[in-house]
Amino acid sequence: MGTYLNVDTSSFESLRNTEYIDKSMLISYFNSCLDTTNRLLCVSRPRRFGKTSSIKMLAAYYNRDIDSHALFNDLLIAKDKSYEMYINKYNTIFIDVSEFIVTAEQNENVVDNIQKKDLCRACS
């Protein structure tokens, strides 16, 4: 597991250990889009509406380096017909752009910060 490629599931595990609201059926929607022309998806919500939490959940579900059944077996997604078909089947890339915004002196420098981190090499 790397810094950006197939990250561990500890972030999602931490969320599950709090007062977690089950949003796992989002996974069902993503699964329904795989292998279709609609497979490119954007998760956009207003600020403080759980985008990062949702992405942590998706990364934990799809990550092929870890068996994450224990994190999902008691959630709604486990009852979905697509659950076993896609769990832990893909390489995942997790990049939280807000990390790069914090270190940028101006918003225009965010792309420069990402490029300096050399993510392409980190994921190869």
Side-chain angles (χ1 to χ4, degrees):
M1 290 174 286
T3 305
Y4 302 102
L5 179 67
N6 295 332
V7 298
D8 66 34
T9 59
S10 61
S11 293
F12 184 61
E13 288 176 51
S14 295
L15 290 172
R16 287 295 320 269
N17 292 329
T18 62
E19 293 180 23
Y20 178 74
I21 297 171
D22 188 351
K23 298 178 184 177
S24 65
M25 290 310 287
L26 177 65
I27 296 169
S28 177
Y29 177 72
F30 272 67
N31 287 348
S32 73
C33 294
L34 292 173
D35 303 322
T36 72
T37 56
N38 296 325
R39 68 186 175 277
L40 302 176
L41 301 167
C42 175
V43 177
S44 64
R45 294 183 181 168
R47 186 172 178 197
R48 310 297 309 158
F49 259 72
K51 292 180 293 293
T52 302
S53 300
S54 295
I55 298 303
K56 288 176 181 178
M57 175 187 67
L58 291 167
Y61 174 79
Y62 289 113
N63 184 343
R64 70 183 301 157
D65 283 355
I66 295 174
D67 179 1
S68 57
H69 282 85
L71 287 171
F72 292 95
N73 280 340
D74 63 333
L75 299 180
L76 292 172
I77 186 61
K79 296 177 179 131
D80 191 86
K81 64 182 179 183
S82 68
Y83 176 65
E84 284 296 336
M85 193 180 318
Y86 296 109
I87 191 168
N88 304 128
K89 301 287 192 233
Y90 295 95
N91 285 314
T92 59
I93 299 172
F94 185 92
I95 301 170
D96 186 348
V97 176
S98 65
E99 292 176 24
F100 299 98
I101 292 172
V102 169
T103 58
E105 293 175 15
Q106 299 173 333
N107 283 341
E108 294 80 27
N109 297 338
V110 173
V111 174
D112 290 337
N113 280 6
I114 292 172
Q115 289 172 334
K116 285 178 188 169
K117 193 71 172 178
D118 199 5
L119 298 181
C120 294
R121 189 174 313 157
C123 294
S124 59

